[in-house]
Amino acid sequence: MRDVPCRQGRELYKVSVTDSKKPEDCPAQEEEGISLSQFIFDLAKTLLTAVLSLLLLMAFFLRQVTVDGPSMNDTLQHEDRLLVSCFQYTPQCGDIVIVTHGRYLEDSIVKRVIAVAGQSIDIDNATGDVIVDGVLLKEDYIRGTTRRLANSVTLPMVIPEGYVFVMGDNREHSLDSRSTTIDLIPVENIIGKAVFRWYPLNGFGSL
């Protein structure tokens, strides 16, 4: 409210005039404040739901592992971070798998499945060829030459039910099923299949 001078005849009077305001001004400001608060609340709820869903997914369907050592070079590198699918997994030839342990090892290892139950496998020590079910295995992913290792398992062999034969891609620097130290891997000792590399970023992508 403000005083406004008003002249009547020769006398000057002061008349009080009430400032006019749009009735909708205040509600609009309140509505804007409520909308912002609602947006922040909805965003926080969405982020929390996403985090909980990811944790649930990681607990039951996926695991994260870190590659230790050079045995899977050049496919994988030391300290690569991988996501592993572990839900109802059935080993297939060519899969990169995470194994809880071999016969004498307690730490997990990362290897590639070369042969599964019912298949025969042999290694030609002269040529480095790997032969599965009588067919030369095409392995464009390996580094080095495949040879039988010290304390070698007896080859050729037929993989028994419930086991797989695994090798590292870096054949000259991998302790795997060629050696009795690792030997055949029981299927129940396979954590799962490596499906995605998320670190480092220059190797980001599916496997």
Side-chain angles (χ1 to χ4, degrees), residues 32 52 62 68 109 166 175 188 202-203:
E32 182 179 352
L52 291 177
L62 293 174
D68 184 15
I109 56 177
V166 300
L175 185 63
E188 60 265 25
N202 60 4

Side-chain angles (χ1 to χ4, degrees), residues 36-52:
L36 180 59
S37 299
Q38 186 65 41
F39 171 76
I40 294 174
F41 175 77
D42 290 342
L43 180 61
K45 185 169 65 174
T46 300
L47 291 175
L48 180 59
T49 301
V51 170
L52 291 177

Side-chain angles (χ1 to χ4, degrees), residues 1-187:
M1 179 179 293
R2 66 181 186 277
D3 292 333
V4 179
C6 180
R7 184 178 298 276
Q8 182 176 356
R10 294 184 178 181
E11 297 182 6
L12 186 64
Y13 298 91
K14 290 185 178 179
V15 180
S16 295
V17 178
T18 302
D19 290 332
S20 61
K21 294 184 178 179
K22 294 181 180 180
E24 66 273 11
D25 285 351
C26 291
Q29 292 175 358
E30 292 177 2
E31 183 178 346
E32 182 179 352
I34 293 174
S35 299
L36 180 59
S37 299
Q38 186 65 41
F39 171 76
I40 294 174
F41 175 77
D42 290 342
L43 180 61
K45 185 169 65 174
T46 300
L47 291 175
L48 180 59
T49 301
V51 170
L52 291 177
S53 299
L54 180 60
L55 291 175
L56 186 64
L57 183 67
M58 295 289 286
F60 292 98
F61 300 101
L62 293 174
R63 293 190 185 183
Q64 177 196 278
V65 299
T66 300
V67 176
D68 184 15
S71 72
M72 284 297 290
N73 292 357
D74 291 323
T75 305
L76 300 174
Q77 305 297 324
H78 178 61
E79 294 191 343
D80 279 359
R81 268 68 162 182
L82 312 177
L83 290 181
V84 177
S85 174
C86 52
F87 180 70
Q88 296 184 343
Y89 169 68
T90 301
Q92 302 292 328
C93 293
D95 288 352
I96 297 173
V97 294
I98 312 302
V99 180
T100 54
H101 57 76
R103 177 172 292 182
Y104 301 115
L105 301 181
E106 295 182 357
D107 294 333
S108 298
I109 56 177
V110 183
K111 303 296 176 183
R112 188 183 296 271
V113 177
I114 303 301
V116 298
Q119 292 185 308
S120 64
I121 183 170
D122 196 8
I123 296 175
D124 188 323
N125 216 41
T127 63
D129 292 336
V130 178
I131 302 162
V132 176
D133 287 340
V135 178
L136 177 65
L137 195 63
K138 184 179 179 180
E139 298 185 290
D140 53 6
Y141 45 76
I142 70 169
R143 177 178 178 179
T145 304
T146 307
R147 297 280 188 260
R148 300 188 185 189
L149 303 179
N151 302 318
S152 177
V153 297
T154 301
L155 295 174
M157 72 161 65
V158 176
I159 311 302
E161 193 65 33
Y163 290 85
V164 296
F165 190 101
V166 300
M167 286 194 281
D169 289 357
N170 189 3
R171 293 292 164 78
E172 296 177 10
H173 298 278
S174 173
L175 185 63
D176 48 45
S177 290
R178 291 172 289 172
S179 170
T180 54
T181 301
I182 301 294
D183 212 331
L184 298 177
I185 300 296
V187 171

